[in-house]
Amino acid sequence: MAVLIDAINIKRRTVFEVDNTPFYCLDSDISTPTARGGQTLVRLKVRNMLTSAVFEKTYKAGEKFKEPDLQMVAASYLYSDNDGSHFLDQDSFETLTLSEEIIGKSLDLLTEGLIIQMQKYNGNPIGIELPMFVELTVTYAEPGVRGDTSSGSGTKMVRLETGLELKVPLFIKEGEKIKIATETREFSGRA
C-alpha cells in the first residue's frame, strides 16, 4: 500500500503526488482560523515535476496525498542531437533520452562522461540533478589587462567548452580547467 502524506505535513522539499502527477514543494504556509469551526488551510507553492510549471495551491489540513514512485539513478551524459540529450544509465546500461525542454539550461554544464543523478517517475526519466560543481575548460578568454580593475571587480568574460560564457578573475587563461557551481553558474575556483 502506498504511503500517504497529510497536507499539513508537507514542508519545503517534500515530494507528493496529486492526480498521478509528482509535485515538489517550494514553500508551505499553514493558516489556522481564529473562529471556531474554521478549517486549517495549507498554502503550498509547488513545482510540477513533469512540466516544471510553478504555481500555488491551497488544501485542507486533513487532505492526504500519495508518495510518488520516484527514483534517482546515476547516469552519464553521452551526447545531444535533434532527438534530445542522451544518457547512459549506470546500473542497467540502458540509453535514456530527455527532451530539450526537460534539460533546459543544464546543457550548458554537461560534458561527455559527466555523471549526474537522473529522476525517474514510474520508471520513466523526467529530469536531472547536476553535481554541485562541474569542471569545464576555458576555450576563449579576453586578455586581462593590468590595471583593468577600475570597476573594483577584476573580472573578465570567458567562453567555456560547452559555449557557456561567464565572468572569472583576470588570472584565468585560455585552456585552463575551472570549477563552476551548478546552482549559481558562477566561477568557484581552478580545477
Side-chain angles (χ1 to χ4, degrees):
M1 189 173 127
V3 176
L4 295 178
I5 305 166
D6 287 330
I8 199 156
N9 293 330
I10 295 176
K11 306 287 182 238
R12 284 187 72 221
R13 306 184 90 188
T14 302
V15 179
F16 62 101
E17 186 176 304
V18 179
D19 300 326
N20 296 322
T21 305
F23 288 94
Y24 178 85
C25 181
L26 300 169
D27 197 20
S28 69
D29 180 46
I30 299 170
S31 62
T32 52
T34 54
R36 279 190 177 162
Q39 289 212 331
T40 300
L41 298 176
V42 181
R43 276 192 210 82
L44 302 175
K45 184 175 183 179
V46 296
R47 183 176 70 232
N48 181 324
M49 294 178 74
L50 301 178
T51 64
S52 294
V54 175
F55 47 91
E56 292 191 15
K57 289 247 187 201
T58 302
Y59 298 102
K60 293 176 185 164
E63 285 188 66
K64 296 185 183 304
F65 304 103
K66 283 193 336 188
E67 196 171 87
D69 176 21
L70 280 177
Q71 298 171 294
M72 293 295 265
V73 294
S76 63
Y77 176 67
L78 298 173
Y79 63 93
S80 293
D81 60 16
N82 292 337
D83 296 332
S85 295
H86 305 278
F87 298 85
L88 181 68
D89 185 319
Q90 296 295 290
D91 294 331
S92 68
F93 299 107
E94 170 187 12
T95 301
L96 305 166
T97 304
L98 290 172
S99 69
E100 193 177 322
E101 294 83 43
I102 294 173
I103 295 296
K105 291 183 178 182
S106 296
L107 199 54
D108 291 342
L109 300 168
L110 292 173
T111 54
E112 188 177 319
L114 178 70
I115 303 289
I116 53 99
Q117 292 295 313
M118 181 169 288
Q119 296 170 328
K120 284 182 160 186
Y121 174 64
N122 291 336
N124 299 316
I126 62 167
I128 65 170
E129 197 173 287
L130 295 169
M132 286 184 68
F133 299 98
V134 292
E135 294 180 4
L136 297 173
T137 305
V138 177
T139 56
Y140 171 77
E142 294 175 350
V145 181
R146 190 172 174 89
D148 194 13
T149 58
S150 60
S151 64
S153 62
T155 61
K156 63 181 179 180
M157 288 300 285
V158 296
R159 186 175 313 115
L160 304 172
E161 62 187 293
T162 60
L164 178 67
E165 293 186 359
L166 75 147
K167 287 185 176 198
V168 298
L170 291 172
F171 58 82
I172 298 298
K173 297 177 184 69
E174 209 167 287
E176 260 188 277
K177 267 197 177 287
I178 60 172
K179 228 159 103 172
I180 285 104
T182 56
E183 198 169 304
T184 60
R185 292 174 167 256
E186 292 176 354
F187 173 80
S188 182
R190 285 181 163 145

